[in-house]
């Protein structure tokens, strides 16, 4: 008798658990998918969708850099190389970051006294040659920025605008004018107004005109890197 | 089919040898039409499977080729046709080349007697059910041939498993189908459909408790016969790589693949004909349907809808159930399905013999009520589970194409889920 009951109890358990399992998967079937179709079907540019404090590739704003080399010292893998000339106006003659070796640990941006070395949200750095990720931030020697505690230096540029200008495409060619939306979205903490494809021209002007200061644009890969 | 051909030949006024040629030609055309329809259905089902799998796993699924990715199966088919057909060096070449054909023939030939509509049937055999059960058994031969000829341990194990499984599950599926045959008093599928009606309470599914159980027995055994998950031991990826078709590539692989998906539709179509009233339209008698082409089209559509729903359930099952072990598989068949299907057959026989007509009406009504109540409970459970994780329901299958992504929503929804179950894993 006990075996008899157990036999039908097993059938009952099977039916109930199978039915409930189907209900679970059915509920997921009815639910909205969470997939983000990354390269080409995102609502906003990917950079605008990334979390506020995500660490992407590094960039340095030389207008605010005091040339203290604290970041170079802090880097555990030595992917930052800085050279500062002696002399009356001390000049930063080289500021190279090998983004291909950078592990995005953020140890360099912590000691930076002027917050000129920062992680952008940029992450698309696929290149056919690893050297193309060696970014030379100094195009012409720049004088170091005078550091005064509590004194605001030059205003920070939109996050990522400097890097996007220097980063080549995968073949090592200069990229076209930087995409508009990421800069606006990255700098503003509030969610930006829906920026879709239609208006690239009007929005693309600020990042371009924001950085004409230092030098006429030159080809990015001019000299051999540090290493 | 034969009749149609004969009628056309008579209409053309042909006698003797030309008449035979016309008959053969018509038969060939009908066969080609059926094969094309089946291939299309199987192709669409491969796409549907991937879409269903995607949504079940909170993904989107194929969505690049055509609207909703619908043309994905065409692209896949073209890819498979253009691929190299590799034959292993140590394989039995003749058997290896021949193996896909019994599988394809076994399943495609079965469609000859599937009643897509009241008049849309290639051959209304008076032994339709018997024919279906017999011809689909041809699949075993092909699977065993493929397993043996590949000269590969995985393929051989898969083939042997598949043979054991199909032969075992053939028995309960036939016995469950016999319950219906017993009630209808005919083996012809059109005859069985004709005995049912359009409304749910006129279906054999709700005829009495025995047929209600017999349907689930039939469905389970048919899924197992089709080597579908949770009974896909012959193709168990984790142990047998791909089972009996591991060495196949290109169009020969596509033969097995399309055969599997055609089989999904076939089993749903048979279940529709046996238990769900086939092409019967609620409120329309077969005579009315025979008179009007519009009702004919509606009937065909209704059959396709019912069979499509059945196929969807098979796909849905695949993404719900884990795979059974071999001993569990055989245990399920011989300890549960087989005795139960015998019991249902005997129960139906006793029912036909003992229960008077007025009592049969009551039983029919009660079974329908219980069946619909079960369905209601199930739907409630679905919505319970939706509420449980956060209701973000979208019946719009195109949704998600635009890549709507809200990290905050994910955090909110799954954070709430985690908080609710915070104590579960700790204990």
């Amino acid at each position: 008798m006990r075996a008899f009951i157990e036999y039908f109890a097993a059938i009952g358990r099977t039916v109930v658990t199978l039915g409930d399992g189907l209900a679970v998967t059915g509920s997921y079937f009815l639910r909205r998918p969470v997939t983000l179709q990354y390269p080409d079907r995102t609502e906003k540019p990917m950079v605008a969708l990334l979390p506020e404090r995500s660490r992407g590739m590094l960039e340095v704003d030389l207008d605010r850099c005091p040339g203290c080399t604290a970041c170079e010292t802090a880097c555990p893998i030595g992917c930052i190389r800085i050279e500062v000339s002696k002399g009356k106006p001390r000049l930063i003659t080289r500021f190279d970051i090998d983004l291909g070796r950078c592990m995005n640990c953020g140890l360099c941006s912590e000691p930076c006294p002027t917050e000129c070395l920062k992680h952008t949200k940029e992450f698309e750095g696929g290149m056919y040659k690893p050297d193309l990720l060696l970014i030379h931030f100094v195009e012409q020697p720049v004088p170091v920025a005078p550091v005064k505690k509590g004194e605001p230096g030059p205003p920070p540029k939109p996050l990522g605008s400097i890097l996007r200008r220097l980063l080549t495409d995968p073949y090592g060619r200069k990229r076209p004018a930087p995409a508009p939306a990421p800069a606006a979205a990255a700098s503003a903490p509030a969610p930006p107004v829906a920026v879709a494809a239609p208006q690239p021209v009007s929005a693309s002007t600020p990042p371009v005109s924001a950085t004409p200061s230092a030098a006429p644009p030159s080809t990015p890969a001019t000299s051999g890197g540090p290493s | 089919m034969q009749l149609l051909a004969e009628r056309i030949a008579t209409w053309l006024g042909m006698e003797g040898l030309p008449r035979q040629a016309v008959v053969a030609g018509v038969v060939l055309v009908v066969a080609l039409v059926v094969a094309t329809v089946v291939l299309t259905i199987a192709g669409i089902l491969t796409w549907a499977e991937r879409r269903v799998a995607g949504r079940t796993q909170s993904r989107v699924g194929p969505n690049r080729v055509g609207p909703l990715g619908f043309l994905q199966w065409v692209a896949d088919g073209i890819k498979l046709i253009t691929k190299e057909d590799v034959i292993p060096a140590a394989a039995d070449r003749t058997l290896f080349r021949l193996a896909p054909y019994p599988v394809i023939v076994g399943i495609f030939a079965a469609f000859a007697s599937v009643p897509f509509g009241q008049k849309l049937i290639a051959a209304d055999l008076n032994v339709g059910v018997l024919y279906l059960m017999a011809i689909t058994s041809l699949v075993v031969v092909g699977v065993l041939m493929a397993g043996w000829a590949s000269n590969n341990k995985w393929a051989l194990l898969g083939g042997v498993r598949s043979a054991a499984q199909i032969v075992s599950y053939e028995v309960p599926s036939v016995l469950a189908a016999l319950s219906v045959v017993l009630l209808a008093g005919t083996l012809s599928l059109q005859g069985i459909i004709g005995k049912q009606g359009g409304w749910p309470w006129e279906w054999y599914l709700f005829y009495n408790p025995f047929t209600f159980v017999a349907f689930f027995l039939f469905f389970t055994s048919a899924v197992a016969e089709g080597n579908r998950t949770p009974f896909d031991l012959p193709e168990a990826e984790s142990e047998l790589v791909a089972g009996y078709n591991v060495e196949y590539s290109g169009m020969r692989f596509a033969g097995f693949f399309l055969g599997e998906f055609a089989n999904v539709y076939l089993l749903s179509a048979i279940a529709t004909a046996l238990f769900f009233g086939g092409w019967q339209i609620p409120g329309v008698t077969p005579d009315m349907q025979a008179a009007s082409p519009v009702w004919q089209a509606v009937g065909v559509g209704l059959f396709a809808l019912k069979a499509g729903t059945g196929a969807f359930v098979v796909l849905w099952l695949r993404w719900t159930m884990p795979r059974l072990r071999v001993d569990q598989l055989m245990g399920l068949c011989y300890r549960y399905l087989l005795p139960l299907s015998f019991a249902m057959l005997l129960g139906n026989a006793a029912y036909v013999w003992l229960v008077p007509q007025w009592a049969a009406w009551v039983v029919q009504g009660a079974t329908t009520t219980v069946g619909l109540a079960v369905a209601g409970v199930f739907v409630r459970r679905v919505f319970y589970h939706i509420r449980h994780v956060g209701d973000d329901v979208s019946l719009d299958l195109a949704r998600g194409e635009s890549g709507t992504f809200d990290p905050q929503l994910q955090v909110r929804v799954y954070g709430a889920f985690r908080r609710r179950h915070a104590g579960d894993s700790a204990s």
Side-chain angles (χ1 to χ4, degrees):
Chain A
M1 191 60 200
R2 184 175 293 266
F4 194 71
I5 291 169
E6 178 51 35
Y7 181 82
F8 285 101
I11 294 171
R13 275 201 306 276
T14 307
V15 171
V16 169
T17 52
L18 177 56
D20 211 29
L22 280 173
V24 170
T25 46
S27 77
Y28 275 92
F29 180 80
L30 296 177
R31 213 165 279 147
R32 204 177 65 172
V34 298
T35 308
L36 174 66
Q37 304 202 18
Y38 153 55
D40 58 342
R41 286 192 195 170
T42 52
E43 271 182 343
K44 300 173 225 163
M46 192 59 210
V47 170
L49 287 169
L50 287 175
E52 186 62 23
R53 297 169 68 179
S54 65
R55 290 197 294 232
M57 297 196 274
L58 285 167
E59 75 171 1
V60 61
D61 181 0
L62 288 172
D63 292 350
R64 306 168 64 206
C65 178
C68 65
T69 69
C71 47
E72 187 181 16
T73 319
C75 181
I77 43 179
C79 67
I80 302 176
R81 172 65 73 89
I82 303 171
E83 281 172 11
V84 183
S85 70
K86 308 266 161 134
K88 200 50 208 135
R90 296 177 68 214
L91 294 175
I92 306 174
T93 51
R94 178 192 253 190
F95 200 120
D96 295 349
I97 303 180
D98 192 349
L99 293 174
R101 287 163 64 199
C102 173
M103 60 180 183
N104 297 342
C105 62
L107 288 177
C108 52
S109 62
E110 271 171 33
C112 183
T114 57
E115 294 184 3
C116 66
L117 183 69
K118 280 192 284 196
H119 280 284
T120 64
K121 291 193 198 171
E122 300 290 325
F123 62 96
E124 290 165 324
M127 301 286 166
Y128 285 103
K129 284 187 204 151
D131 335 345
L132 294 175
L133 279 171
L134 178 69
I135 308 292
H136 308 279
F137 284 91
V138 175
E139 288 158 325
Q140 280 200 342
V142 229
V144 299
V147 197
K148 293 255 173 61
K149 267 265 161 75
E151 190 179 293
K157 301 193 178 72
L159 194 65
S161 59
I162 304 164
L163 179 70
R164 268 196 303 280
R165 191 167 55 79
L166 293 173
L167 206 61
T168 61
D169 74 352
Y171 300 95
R173 293 181 301 231
K174 241 181 134 43
R175 287 192 186 197
S187 58
V193 196
V195 193
Q199 70 285 47
V201 186
S202 62
S204 75
T205 35
V208 175
S209 59
T211 52
S213 57
S218 62
T219 48
T222 42
S223 62
S227 67
Chain B
M1 179 162 61
Q2 197 73 19
L3 282 175
L4 174 73
E6 300 262 340
R7 237 181 288 147
I8 289 174
T10 315
W11 181 65
L12 289 172
M14 288 186 166
E15 289 299 329
L17 203 60
R19 185 187 172 87
Q20 299 298 321
V22 167
V23 169
V26 171
V27 168
L28 194 66
V29 168
V30 170
L32 277 176
V33 168
V34 170
T36 311
V37 168
V38 173
L39 274 175
T40 313
I41 290 172
I44 291 172
L45 269 182
T46 62
W47 164 80
E49 160 109 316
R50 295 170 63 186
R51 290 292 293 196
V52 170
R55 285 300 295 255
T56 311
Q57 299 170 345
S58 294
R59 297 185 283 114
V60 182
N63 58 66
R64 298 289 162 137
V65 195
L68 294 183
F70 179 74
L71 296 176
Q72 186 70 45
W73 63 277
V74 182
D76 288 346
I78 292 169
K79 184 197 78 174
L80 281 172
I81 291 171
T82 51
K83 280 216 162 184
E84 188 187 356
D85 180 21
V86 182
I87 300 179
D92 184 331
R93 293 184 70 88
T94 321
L95 268 187
F96 190 86
R97 282 160 178 274
L98 277 178
Y101 294 104
V103 176
I104 297 172
V105 168
I107 289 164
F108 281 31
F111 275 90
S113 71
V114 168
F116 291 102
Q118 193 179 22
K119 293 182 178 162
L120 196 64
I121 178 168
D124 182 17
L125 301 174
N126 55 1
V127 288
V129 178
L130 180 66
Y131 167 78
L132 282 176
M133 297 301 167
I135 197 89
T136 47
S137 302
L138 208 57
V139 174
V140 191
V141 180
V143 168
L144 263 183
M145 276 165 79
W148 175 256
S150 298
N151 200 1
N152 175 316
K153 56 184 172 299
W154 289 308
L156 183 59
L157 278 171
V160 170
R161 274 189 191 184
S162 182
Q165 182 177 330
I166 295 176
V167 169
S168 302
Y169 277 87
E170 194 85 9
V171 182
S173 98
V174 170
L175 285 172
L178 264 185
S179 292
V180 170
V181 172
L182 190 71
L183 295 174
T186 171
L187 279 164
S188 150
L189 284 165
Q190 293 289 40
I192 290 171
I193 293 174
K195 291 267 180 175
Q196 304 175 64
W199 297 105
W201 52 86
E202 294 169 324
W203 297 347
Y204 275 141
L205 175 66
F206 297 128
Y207 190 74
N208 64 31
F210 303 112
T211 50
F212 189 69
V213 175
F215 162 70
F216 291 100
L217 298 176
F218 174 81
F219 197 73
T220 312
S221 336
V223 169
E225 257 186 89
N227 293 336
R228 291 285 305 182
T229 318
F231 308 105
D232 65 337
L233 288 135
E235 300 166 29
E237 297 96 355
S238 49
E239 28 194 296
L240 294 181
V241 190
Y244 57 87
N245 58 23
V246 67
E247 294 287 5
Y248 282 85
S249 55
M251 210 49 213
R252 278 175 218 284
F253 168 73
F256 287 116
F257 195 65
L258 288 175
E260 182 187 328
F261 280 92
N263 198 11
V264 170
Y265 192 80
L266 178 67
L267 80 89
S268 317
I270 298 173
T272 304
L274 292 183
F275 293 97
F276 287 90
W279 38 257
Q280 295 267 23
I281 307 166
V284 179
T285 60
D287 292 336
M288 279 164 71
Q289 201 178 339
S292 154
V294 178
W295 285 128
Q296 284 291 318
V298 172
V300 170
L302 211 55
F303 185 90
L305 182 72
K306 289 172 181 173
T309 311
F312 170 73
V313 172
V314 178
L315 305 184
W316 183 5
L317 265 174
R318 170 162 185 192
W319 300 103
T320 305
M321 296 283 289
R323 186 182 299 124
L324 271 69
R325 243 184 300 132
V326 180
D327 60 321
Q328 291 169 334
L329 182 84
M330 289 302 161
L332 177 69
C333 180
Y334 287 115
R335 288 179 60 203
Y336 292 97
L337 295 182
L338 192 57
L340 281 178
S341 52
F342 265 120
M344 293 313 130
L345 184 59
L346 287 176
N348 268 317
Y351 187 88
V352 172
W353 183 32
L354 295 175
V355 177
Q357 186 56 47
W358 63 267
W361 288 118
V362 176
V363 170
Q364 210 164 334
T367 317
T368 313
T369 316
V370 169
L372 294 180
V374 168
V377 168
F378 179 73
V379 171
R380 277 197 55 154
R381 278 308 281 183
V382 171
F383 283 97
Y384 166 80
H385 284 297
I386 289 174
R387 275 201 313 279
H388 201 64
V389 185
D391 43 355
D392 187 21
V393 175
S394 155
L395 285 174
D396 178 9
L397 291 177
R399 191 81 176 273
E401 301 283 30
S402 60
T404 51
F405 177 68
D406 181 4
Q408 288 311 309
L409 177 83
Q410 308 299 318
V411 169
R412 215 165 55 232
V413 166
Y414 295 108
F417 184 74
R418 268 209 312 279
R419 276 196 298 282
R420 196 174 293 128
H421 294 277
D424 291 6
S425 55
S427 55

